[in-house]
Amino acid sequence: MKAAVLEAFGAPMPVRELALREPAEHEVLVRTAAAPFCSTDWLGWRAMRGKTPPVVLGHTALGVVERGDGGARGYGVGDLVVVAGTPQCDECFYCGIGRPDQCARLFESPEPVLATDDAGRPVRAAGRVGAYAELIVADRNQVWPVDSSLPATHLSLLGCGITTGHGAIVNVAEVRPGASVAVVGLGHLGQWCVQAARVAGAGRIIGVDLLADRRATATALGATDVVDPTEHDPVEQVRSLTGGRGADVVVEAAGPEQAVQQAVAMSRRAGTVVLTGVQWVEGRVSLPQNAIAIHGRRILSCQNGQSVMSRDLARCVALMENGEYAAGPIVTAEYALDQVNEALFASGEFRDLSGVITAFR
């Protein structure tokens, strides 16, 4: 099969012919139909996410099952499926307590070998998916059937961006009608947070981003106010829009340490801060102790929106089908696999919200 292979950090990724390994009994073979190029993969390409070359990047995809079945999940050969970036094994401690976002398969197992290259070297699959390839070998615990006639480009975002943004607002922050919500960073994830906040009935939705086109997109998708952090202190701008207190809920969807610090400062006392972004896998954040220990804030982690895919995937598809969630403005380009480096740089240079690879041969 053909795949884009990260062979050296920071170097263009060649498209290679790889020898795909045979799926195990608990795995399925999926032919890739669409795979979004996520900022996470840009960071992986820059050696910021703990990857070990050679590796096929891409941690979520849409495709069709070619071999194997989902057992109790009810899919088989020929079915359309989402290959999600987070497993749900339903066997580990974390799945057992209803937190598959922390599934042991994701955090306690090495990324699996997907194939070998022409030198005989093992090539691993990023995120246990390796989506920038014609074929994916995935454990059935992270493959989900999807019954929808929406475009493949739109459905391909379900395994990461949509469910994370939806979950940040609904599962983690538990946004209530009338609440004020600020979203720091209006990339693909931030845009889904804006939409989810609108659907949740937030009274004020404030988008914060350096880029004018992203602020404009957020306005079209439901932001009531947008903040340009280059014009004036963004913390003060958000406070001025929320009665001087700060927002009830602040979602950090950017990644850098400064964005986390600003998100905490933008929130009111007894408010909620949801942290979704990670820039460096070994990154550190310094926060004022009074703000986090005395002022009553809830500061919450948000891996994959704390989604339970068996529940949240269908919810998100329904919201897309009835038009409440719009993927069209977020899918900003389509690419062939041999244009993977164009997609890479368009993501890293903030020219795409979500570029999606849709042609693999």
Side-chain angles (χ1 to χ4, degrees):
M1 68 161 187
K2 289 173 63 177
V5 183
L6 170 60
E7 297 180 337
F9 293 122
M13 294 187 293
V15 175
R16 303 289 194 200
E17 291 282 347
L18 301 179
L20 186 70
R21 69 171 174 83
E22 284 292 311
E25 184 178 352
H26 60 88
E27 295 176 319
V28 293
L29 180 67
V30 176
R31 182 165 293 278
T32 314
F37 201 99
C38 179
S39 56
T40 297
D41 298 300
W42 160 262
L43 295 171
W45 175 79
R46 294 184 64 199
M48 299 169 74
R49 300 308 292 267
K51 303 302 176 187
T52 302
V55 60
V56 177
L57 298 177
H59 59 277
T60 185
L62 182 80
V64 176
V65 176
E66 290 216 337
R67 194 187 313 173
D69 65 77
R73 292 188 178 170
Y75 61 81
V77 173
D79 287 339
L80 188 68
V81 294
V82 169
V83 186
T86 298
Q88 182 178 322
C89 74
D90 293 329
E91 298 173 354
C92 72
F93 170 83
Y94 295 98
C95 287
I97 62 170
R99 289 295 302 275
D101 61 293
Q102 299 299 311
C103 181
R105 299 287 179 87
L106 180 63
F107 290 105
E108 300 172 22
S109 301
E111 292 182 327
V113 172
L114 172 70
T116 53
D117 63 16
D118 57 7
R121 296 181 300 171
V123 180
R124 296 190 177 272
R128 310 184 69 81
V129 178
Y132 305 149
E134 287 184 286
L135 295 165
I136 296 168
V137 175
D139 195 300
R140 61 166 64 116
N141 66 37
Q142 62 190 105
V143 178
W144 301 91
V146 57
D147 181 14
S148 177
S149 60
L150 289 169
T153 51
H154 297 190
L155 296 174
S156 71
L157 307 182
L158 283 162
C160 178
I162 297 175
T163 45
T164 300
H166 170 88
I169 296 296
V170 176
N171 300 335
V172 184
E174 300 175 311
V175 169
R176 297 176 181 177
S180 57
V181 178
V183 180
V184 181
L186 297 173
H188 72 109
L189 177 54
Q191 302 290 350
W192 289 113
C193 292
V194 166
Q195 294 194 70
R198 172 179 48 76
V199 172
R204 184 153 230 158
I205 304 168
I206 306 164
V208 182
D209 201 280
L210 294 163
L211 301 178
D213 59 338
R214 295 191 172 192
R215 296 194 301 271
T217 299
T219 299
L221 292 175
T224 59
D225 306 270
V226 289
V227 165
D228 180 352
T230 67
E231 288 186 348
H232 180 58
D233 179 0
V235 173
E236 292 304 319
Q237 291 187 70
V238 170
R239 285 180 176 167
S240 71
L241 291 166
T242 53
R245 293 183 301 273
D248 300 325
V249 173
V250 182
V251 180
E252 183 282 315
E257 178 185 14
Q258 184 183 31
V260 176
Q261 293 166 331
Q262 289 176 341
V264 172
M266 287 172 186
S267 65
R268 63 164 170 80
R269 295 196 310 278
T272 297
V273 181
V274 178
L275 305 180
T276 75
V278 176
Q279 190 170 57
W280 292 86
V281 71
E282 299 295 338
R284 298 287 186 270
V285 176
S286 175
L287 294 171
Q289 194 168 20
N290 215 38
I292 61 176
I294 303 300
H295 290 168
R297 290 174 174 85
R298 297 192 308 155
I299 299 179
L300 303 172
S301 171
C302 187
Q303 204 302 98
N304 195 36
Q306 295 184 13
S307 295
V308 178
M309 293 296 283
S310 54
R311 175 196 67 202
D312 293 330
L313 185 69
R315 291 179 178 177
C316 290
V317 171
L319 287 164
M320 294 170 73
E321 289 187 327
N322 69 21
E324 292 190 83
Y325 281 179
I330 296 174
V331 176
T332 46
E334 293 185 39
Y335 299 93
L337 183 61
D338 60 9
Q339 297 173 302
V340 66
N341 293 296
E342 295 177 36
L344 167 77
F345 286 106
S347 174
E349 295 167 2
F350 307 114
R351 289 183 281 114
D352 277 344
L353 280 171
S354 286
V356 182
I357 298 173
T358 55
F360 291 85
R361 173 58 73 172

